[in-house]
């Protein structure tokens, strides 16, 4: 539900929930109507090309196996080397052991038994300038002001497409 809410909210919509005990629950999703024309197929294909990597190493720390699997496949297809960890301690241990080869970290903000601020603090202690993309099914409001002061910290909302992922990783690594 948090992923759906994030998507609906980012498009200026809202969700109505109606529930009755023993009867079930109904979710109604409302989105703004758009009157803009859809770009022609040539323009869409031309502008959909994701920036490619040059073999940089990405560490993905996320507790959702599907996110790890899909993220790994997309990143490899985009030209990156990928290391994954399905839990915080394993991810931090991997980061400490391989800090010199890891170029960027994609970190799930909300994981069971984990505090995003503490995880980020440890990453910064080990390698202060490594780019970190915080990823969440919630919208950007899960980040507090402490996060906004970090120039090497970025946010990407789940679910993300290969194009979104490619652009976020490229921008985080190269600044454009």
């Amino acid at each position: 539900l948090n992923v759906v809410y994030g998507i609906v909210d980012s498009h200026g919509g809202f969700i109505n929930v109606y529930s009755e005990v023993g009867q079930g629950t109904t979710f109604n999703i409302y989105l703004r109507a758009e009157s803009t024309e859809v770009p022609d197929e040539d323009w869409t294909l031309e502008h959909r090309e994701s920036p490619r990597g040059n073999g940089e190493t990405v560490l993905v720390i996320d507790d959702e196996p599907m996110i790890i699997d899909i993220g790994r496949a997309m990143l490899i297809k985009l030209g990156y080397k990928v290391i994954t960890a399905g839990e915080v301690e394993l991810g931090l241990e991997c980061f400490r052991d391989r800090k010199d080869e890891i170029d960027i970290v994609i970190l799930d903000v909300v994981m069971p038994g984990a505090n995003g601020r503490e995880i980020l603090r440890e990453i910064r202690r080990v390698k202060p300038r490594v780019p970190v993309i915080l990823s969440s099914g919630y919208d950007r409001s899960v980040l507090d002001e402490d996060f906004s002061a970090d120039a090497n910290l970025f946010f990407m909302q789940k679910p993300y497409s290969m194009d979104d992922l490619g652009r976020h990783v490229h921008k985080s690594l190269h600044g454009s």
Side-chain angles (χ1 to χ4, degrees):
L1 278 177
N2 65 5
V3 172
V4 172
Y5 173 76
I7 293 168
V8 171
D9 186 57
S10 71
H11 286 85
F14 64 94
I15 302 173
N16 260 349
V17 179
Y18 177 75
S19 186
E20 282 189 38
V21 177
Q23 297 297 312
T25 303
T26 301
F27 293 86
N28 291 305
I29 298 174
Y30 299 89
L31 299 170
R32 292 182 292 122
E34 290 287 333
S35 61
T36 56
E37 289 185 33
V38 177
D40 66 35
E41 189 174 331
D42 292 339
W43 185 92
T44 303
L45 292 173
E46 176 186 328
H47 290 84
R48 276 203 150 178
E49 188 64 34
S50 296
R52 306 224 10 108
N54 291 314
E56 297 95 332
T57 301
V58 181
L59 171 61
V60 179
I61 304 173
D62 199 302
D63 64 318
E64 297 177 52
M66 184 175 73
I67 297 289
I68 286 180
D69 293 343
I70 292 170
R72 178 191 307 116
M74 289 191 293
L75 288 163
I76 289 170
K77 190 169 184 172
L78 288 167
Y80 297 98
K81 295 177 190 168
V82 183
I83 303 167
T84 61
E87 52 189 64
V88 173
E89 283 308 315
L90 182 61
L92 288 174
E93 180 181 326
C94 180
F95 184 73
R96 287 183 204 107
D97 293 346
R98 301 173 76 175
K99 68 179 179 282
D100 293 332
E101 72 181 276
I102 294 172
D103 298 300
I104 186 168
V105 177
I106 299 175
L107 174 63
D108 185 5
V109 177
V110 181
M111 289 191 281
N115 177 322
R117 181 179 291 134
E118 291 171 9
I119 300 166
L120 182 61
R121 187 177 298 131
E122 178 62 15
I123 289 171
R124 289 289 179 247
R125 187 188 69 71
V126 174
K127 191 173 181 179
R129 288 187 162 18
V130 68
V132 176
I133 299 174
L134 297 176
S135 176
S136 176
Y138 295 102
D139 66 13
R140 189 177 208 97
S141 66
V142 297
L143 305 179
D144 58 26
E145 289 180 22
D146 290 349
F147 288 131
S148 64
D150 188 333
N152 291 313
L153 188 63
F154 306 89
F155 180 78
M156 179 173 58
Q157 187 165 355
K158 294 179 190 175
Y160 42 82
S161 65
M162 187 155 72
D163 185 54
D164 292 335
L165 182 60
R167 290 183 193 286
H168 277 87
V169 171
H170 188 269
K171 181 179 180 181
S172 301
L173 286 168
H174 305 292
S176 60

